[in-house]
């Protein structure tokens, strides 16, 4: 029959191509081509080709699930933020004993999607850096605010956090209709709407968490060169053992270090 002839011709064509070459093609194929390629090679009797087809279909399934996850984050952003200008906000460094409190505010367009965006804590350092660069390319606006250790000691964390949120939103240059924030209510800016675990649920909050983390981490690496001995590049200011050995530096929050030193000695 015609169908049998077509299948035989296809089998002859694929058998002339090495199995390793087919496996490489399936392994690097764009998502929108995987199903067609699997169909093309589905009758190939070689085990290596069959395994490559299975791997390609699993990759397609994972990528579709990942895209569904990110699409849901963008839908939640639109549902909670409304149709106006929406900014997402998150912080990093609240519990650190050294370095600043850093807050980031990000405004994202609905398109293009930033695939892979997620709570920064769920991402590797390399993935965070790649996504931060992508966010910088795509975002409508990004704002950053750092509150130094001395000011945290002077005013306390609650007031510092409110000031940092207001500063980051102001730094975007936008007048947002809605500010979506991770965590509990702060009353830091108008039109604030808080979302518990928002960095894992809302696209713009997740983007803010990534940029805040990457920005502060880079700053802590710079401070490590200025204040050696505290391992700031590695600990990002969360470690405490070096404080007992070296005392406090000007970037340490003395009000956070009572458990580590009976008396705070300046570097």
């Amino acid at each position: 029959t015609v169908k049998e002839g077509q299948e035989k011709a296809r089998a002859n064509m694929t058998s002339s191509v090495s199995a390793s070459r087919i496996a490489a093609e399936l392994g690097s194929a764009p998502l929108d081509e995987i199903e067609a390629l699997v169909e093309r090679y589905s009758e190939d009797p070689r085990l290596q080709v069959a395994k490559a087809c299975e791997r390609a279909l699993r990759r397609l399934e994972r990528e579709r699930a990942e895209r569904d996850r990110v699409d849901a984050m963008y839908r939640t952003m639109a549902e909670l933020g409304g149709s106006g200008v929406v900014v997402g906000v998150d912080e990093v460094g609240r519990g650190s004993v050294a370095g600043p409190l850093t807050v980031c505010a990000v405004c994202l367009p609905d398109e293009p999607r930033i695939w892979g965006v997620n709570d920064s804590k769920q991402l590797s350092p390399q993935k965070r850096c790649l996504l931060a660069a992508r966010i910088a390319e795509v975002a409508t606006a990004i704002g950053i605010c750092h509150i130094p250790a001395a000011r945290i000691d002077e005013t306390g964390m609650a007031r510092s956090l409110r000031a940092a949120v207001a500063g980051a939103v102001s730094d975007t240059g936008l007048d947002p209709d809605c500010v979506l924030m991770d965590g509990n209510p702060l009353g830091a800016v108008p039109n604030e709407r808080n979302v518990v675990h928002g960095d894992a649920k809302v696209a713009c909050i997740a983007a803010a968490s990534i940029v805040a983390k990457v920005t502060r981490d880079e700053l802590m690496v710079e401070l490590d060169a200025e204040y050696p001995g505290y391992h700031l590049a590695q600990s990002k200011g969360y470690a405490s053992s070096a404080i007992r050995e070296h005392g406090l530096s000007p970037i340490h929050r003395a009000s956070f270090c009572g458990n580590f030193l009976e008396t705070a000695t300046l570097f």
Side-chain angles (χ1 to χ4, degrees):
T1 66
V2 173
K3 183 177 180 181
E4 290 173 342
Q6 290 174 338
E7 291 176 351
K8 185 177 180 180
R10 183 173 63 180
N12 289 335
M13 179 183 66
T14 57
S15 63
S16 65
V17 181
S18 71
S20 59
R21 181 174 175 182
I22 293 173
E25 182 182 9
L26 285 163
S28 61
L31 296 184
D32 58 0
E33 297 179 10
I34 287 178
E35 288 182 317
L37 286 173
V38 169
E39 174 65 22
R40 179 191 302 174
Y41 298 124
S42 61
E43 301 300 324
D44 192 303
R46 290 169 292 185
L47 181 61
Q48 185 177 359
V49 174
K51 293 293 186 182
C53 287
E54 292 174 4
R55 287 194 298 271
L57 289 175
R58 288 196 297 269
R59 177 165 67 92
L60 178 61
E61 183 178 356
R62 288 194 303 270
E63 289 294 335
R64 282 177 171 170
E66 170 64 9
R67 294 205 170 201
D68 287 345
R69 183 190 65 79
V70 173
D71 281 337
M73 295 183 77
Y74 275 84
R75 285 196 303 272
T76 302
M77 179 175 73
E79 291 166 1
L80 295 178
S83 59
V85 176
V86 181
V87 169
V89 173
D90 200 11
E91 57 79 22
V92 66
R94 185 189 301 197
S96 174
V97 299
L101 168 71
T102 298
V103 172
C104 178
V106 175
C107 179
L108 290 180
D110 190 59
E111 293 288 348
R113 296 283 204 260
I114 301 176
W115 303 116
V117 69
N118 202 349
D119 171 11
S120 64
K121 297 184 291 296
Q122 302 300 316
L123 302 168
S124 68
Q126 181 181 19
K127 185 66 172 179
R128 283 196 297 263
C129 288
L130 291 172
L131 283 169
R134 179 61 177 156
I135 292 164
E137 293 175 355
V138 171
T140 304
I142 295 175
I144 297 284
C145 184
H146 301 287
I147 302 295
R151 186 173 174 188
I152 294 171
D153 283 337
E154 179 184 352
T155 65
M157 179 53 70
R159 290 180 64 183
S160 295
L161 186 56
R162 287 193 292 270
V165 169
V169 173
S170 176
D171 194 47
T172 65
L174 303 176
D175 185 15
D177 298 290
C178 182
V179 177
L180 297 174
M181 293 180 51
D182 182 44
N184 298 312
L186 287 177
V189 291
N191 306 315
E192 176 186 313
R193 185 167 186 176
N194 298 82
V195 185
V196 177
H197 302 307
D199 49 6
K201 299 175 182 177
V202 183
C204 57
I205 299 178
S209 78
I210 292 167
V211 176
K213 175 65 173 168
V214 170
T215 301
R216 188 180 185 277
D217 282 359
E218 290 175 349
L219 178 59
M220 296 307 291
V221 171
E222 295 175 6
L223 289 172
D224 182 71
E226 188 173 351
Y227 299 100
Y230 292 99
H231 315 294
L232 298 174
Q234 291 77 33
S235 69
K236 306 302 185 288
Y238 284 86
S240 61
S241 59
I243 297 175
R244 292 189 178 94
E245 181 180 354
H246 301 291
L248 299 182
S249 77
I251 63 165
H252 278 89
R253 306 170 189 176
S255 58
F256 280 45
C257 297
N259 292 333
F260 309 127
L261 287 178
E262 291 184 4
T263 58
T265 305
L266 287 178
F267 183 77

